[in-house]
Amino acid sequence: MFEKILIANRGEIALRIHRACHDMGISTVAVHSTADDDAMHVRLADESVCIGPPPAMESYLNIPALVAACEISNAQAVHPGYGFLAENAKFAEIVEAHNIKFIGPKAEHITLMGDKIAAKATVEALGVPVVPGADKAVESGKEAEQLADAIGYPVLIKAAAGGGGRGMKIVPTPAELAEALLTARAESQAAFNSDSVYIEKYLSDPRHIEIQVLADQYGNVVHLGERDCSLQRRHQKILEEAPSPVIDASERARLGGIVSEAIANLGYEGVGTIEFLYDGKNFYFIEMNTRIQVEHPVTEMVTGVDLVCEQIRAAAGEELTIRQEDISFTGHAIECRINAEHPQTFVPNPGTVSQFHAPGGVGVRIDSSIYTGYQIPPYYDSLIGKLIVHGSCREDCLRRLNRALGEFVVEGVETTIPLFLKLLTNAEFRAGNYHIRWLEHYLEIE
Ligand code: MV4
C-alpha cells in the first residue's frame, strides 16, 4: 500500500480523499493555490505545497507544478478527485512516466471514454444497450440525412469530444438538419478543437440513471447498483438518489451484470460510472465517467462500501476483497448539493460564511470543506458541501432530509438549501415522478 498520497484537488472532495487516506494509515499531501491558503483541505493534510496563483489554469490544472509537488514531497501516488485533471489522459501519462501512480484507470481508457463515438461503439460491441444511431462520425450532409431518416426524427447531433451536454443540437424535422449540422460542427470546433459529430435518436423525457462499478487489476469487477441523477439544471446535477425510485432489484441485477461483464472485458481498473438514459422501459448507454463522482456517497450509504478506499486499494494493486454476492442494498439515500448560489437564479454567490452549523444525527452525512469565517473564493466551483441522508425507505429518507435541512445553518452567503426545502413539499418529487427536464420546468412555474 502507498505510504503517502498527493491530493490534486480542493474543496470537499480533497477532504473526502484525505479522510479515506487517514482511515487507511496513509499520509497526505495537499496542494493549493494562493486563494486557498486557509482552506480546510490544507489544514487537515500532513503536508501542503502551494502550486500557484488563484486561476485554476495556473494551479490546480498546472501539470508541471503538480509533478514537482509530488517529487518534493515524495508522494507515491496522486489522487485527482473529480473535475480539474481527473479525466485528463495526458496528466495520467505524465504522472506515471515520473513513477508516480495515477489513482484512476489506465490513460488508454480515459482517452477511449473521452471519445464519445469510440466509447459507444466499444461498449455496444461488449453487449451494452446504446441509444439508436450510428456508432460513427457523420461525414457529410448527405450521410446525415440518410442516417436521420433511418433513425427517425427527432434526432440529436452530439460532439464526439463533448460530454456533459456541451455541443448538442436537437433536430425536430428534416428541414432543420443541414443548419443544425453546421452549427454543431462549428460549436464543437470552438469548444473542443474537434468538429467530429454523431447522430442519435433524441429521447425526450428520459431519466438519467448511472451504474457504479469497481474493478481491480486482475479482471475482477463488481457493480454497486444505480444512482438516479435526473434532477438537474443546465447539465448541473442538483440532487441524486439511490436506489432509483423506478428500478427494482431484478432490473438492477440485470443491468449491473451486463455492465460488469463489459467492464471486465475492457480490462478497466478502478472506479467508473456508466451513464444511461431510461425511458421507463429500456436503458440506453450515453457515456462513461472514469473518475470518482460528486454523487458517490449515495452509493456508499446504501451499500456500506467506501468507494474512495476501494479505489486506492485497486490502484495499489490489491485484489478486490468484495465479491458481487457480498454487496447488498439497504434503504434509501439522497444527496443534496449545497452550492453558494442564489436558490432561484443559481447565480454564484461567493463571500464570507459568517455562521456554519451542520446537521447531524443518525443517517446524516455532511461532506463539506467550509467553516464559520471561511471566505469562499470566486475562482472555483460553487459547490460548498453535500448533505447525504439515509433512511430505511424513500419515505423515511425524505422525512430525515427535511429534518436535516431544517437544522442546517449557512449564513453570509446564499445557498441552495431553501430550494431543497421547497422541493420536499412538491407531490411529484415526493412520488419520485421526475425526468431530466422536470426540475427546469418546476423552477419556471414556481
Ligand atoms: C441525450 C438526451 C436525449 N437523447 N441523448 C446530456 C449530457 C450528455 N451526457 C448526454 N445528454 C443527453 N443525451 C439522446 N439521444 C438528453 C441528454 C440530456 C441529459 C442527459 C442526462 C442528464 C441530463 C440531461 C439534460 C439534458 C439533456
Side-chain angles (χ1 to χ4, degrees):
M1 182 46 65
F2 309 117
E3 279 153 30
K4 192 190 277 191
I5 292 176
L6 183 136
I7 302 164
N9 216 301
R10 64 180 302 283
E12 69 85 19
I13 195 64
L15 255 67
R16 171 71 188 86
I17 298 160
H18 165 83
R19 287 168 174 155
C21 289
H22 271 211
D23 284 350
M24 299 170 80
I26 301 165
S27 51
T28 57
V29 183
V31 293
H32 65 95
S33 72
T34 53
D36 280 341
D37 289 341
D38 296 324
M40 200 53 128
H41 79 276
V42 178
R43 294 193 193 187
L44 289 186
D46 299 302
E47 293 167 61
S48 66
V49 182
C50 180
I51 49 165
M57 281 301 292
E58 297 171 60
S59 50
Y60 298 103
L61 292 169
N62 183 341
I63 296 176
L66 287 162
V67 173
C70 287
E71 299 210 311
I72 60 171
S73 61
N74 275 315
Q76 297 149 327
V78 52
H79 196 306
Y82 54 67
F84 296 128
L85 297 166
E87 288 171 293
N88 185 312
K90 262 254 124 49
F91 179 58
E93 261 167 22
I94 291 169
V95 161
E96 301 246 322
H98 287 79
N99 284 320
I100 302 154
K101 178 72 187 136
F102 176 79
I103 301 177
K106 292 191 280 264
E108 67 181 87
H109 287 138
I110 301 178
T111 302
L112 173 69
M113 295 306 168
D115 177 343
K116 306 304 164 188
I117 299 175
K120 191 179 171 188
T122 302
V123 303
E124 185 177 26
L126 294 171
V128 177
V130 303
V131 185
D135 292 350
K136 62 185 278 302
V138 174
E139 301 294 343
S140 65
K142 182 113 198 93
E143 192 190 45
E145 264 176 50
Q146 290 164 351
L147 286 172
D149 284 341
I151 295 164
Y153 287 84
V155 297
L156 189 61
I157 305 176
K158 292 183 172 180
R166 293 190 300 167
M168 302 197 322
K169 279 273 166 293
I170 302 170
V171 187
T173 67
E176 286 115 314
L177 182 64
E179 195 184 321
L181 184 62
L182 288 176
T183 317
R185 273 205 206 288
E187 285 182 12
S188 175
Q189 182 64 44
F192 313 111
N193 197 28
S194 153
D195 71 352
S196 176
V197 299
Y198 62 112
I199 294 191
E200 280 182 354
K201 176 84 188 160
Y202 174 66
L203 308 174
S204 85
D205 294 328
R207 299 179 78 110
H208 172 147
I209 292 174
E210 56 188 31
I211 302 279
Q212 176 73 56
V213 295
L214 170 64
D216 66 18
Q217 297 176 10
Y218 312 99
N220 303 301
V221 181
V222 294
H223 76 83
L224 295 108
E226 81 286 2
R227 296 184 285 261
D228 196 317
C229 307
S230 303
L231 268 195
Q232 59 86 39
R233 177 187 175 272
R234 300 194 182 169
H235 303 292
Q236 292 293 317
K237 293 169 187 164
I238 299 284
L239 175 152
E240 305 94 350
E241 59 182 311
S244 167
V246 299
I247 303 302
D248 65 17
S250 83
E251 273 294 85
R252 175 173 312 117
R254 189 184 66 80
L255 186 63
I258 291 170
V259 165
S260 296
E261 194 186 323
I263 293 302
N265 281 320
L266 257 184
Y268 185 86
E269 296 166 19
V271 295
T273 301
I274 298 83
E275 298 186 345
F276 292 90
L277 296 178
Y278 178 65
D279 63 6
K281 212 171 147 214
N282 297 305
F283 290 93
Y284 306 94
F285 169 89
I286 44 172
E287 288 172 26
M288 176 169 181
N289 301 316
T290 57
R291 58 172 192 275
I292 191 80
Q293 289 195 267
V294 177
E295 61 271 25
H296 77 275
V298 294
T299 299
E300 297 185 324
M301 298 286 264
V302 297
T303 61
V305 174
D306 185 322
L307 286 168
V308 179
C309 286
E310 295 304 328
Q311 180 188 27
I312 294 169
R313 286 196 188 102
E318 293 189 8
E319 216 176 318
L320 287 190
T321 55
I322 18 178
R323 290 158 303 176
Q324 192 64 52
E325 57 268 32
D326 301 331
I327 297 170
S328 58
F329 302 93
T330 308
H332 199 94
I334 297 180
E335 171 179 280
C336 293
R337 297 193 185 196
I338 314 299
N339 295 338
E341 288 174 357
H342 190 280
Q344 269 114 45
T345 62
F346 298 89
V347 172
N349 182 231
T352 301
V353 178
S354 54
Q355 257 335 304
F356 177 70
H357 179 264
V362 172
V364 176
R365 166 174 170 182
I366 299 283
D367 279 19
S368 173
S369 55
I370 70 164
Y371 52 86
T372 299
Y374 177 66
Q375 287 185 41
I376 303 165
Y379 306 99
Y380 314 109
D381 195 273
S382 61
L383 183 80
I384 54 172
K386 306 181 303 206
L387 166 63
I388 312 102
V389 167
H390 184 264
S392 63
C393 61
R394 194 164 184 272
E395 257 316 292
D396 276 353
C397 189
L398 290 172
R399 207 177 302 113
R400 183 168 280 158
L401 180 56
N402 193 54
R403 188 270 284 172
L405 286 164
E407 291 175 26
F408 216 146
V409 180
V410 181
E411 279 168 20
V413 295
E414 303 256 39
T415 73
T416 42
I417 293 170
L419 164 69
F420 295 119
L421 280 164
K422 200 151 145 253
L423 200 56
L424 280 169
T425 67
N426 181 279
E428 291 292 314
F429 170 69
R430 293 198 70 92
N433 251 336
Y434 58 84
H435 54 71
I436 58 174
R437 293 194 308 149
W438 185 90
L439 182 66
E440 283 167 7
H441 181 248
Y442 166 82
L443 291 167
E444 265 169 39
I445 59 174
E446 283 300 308

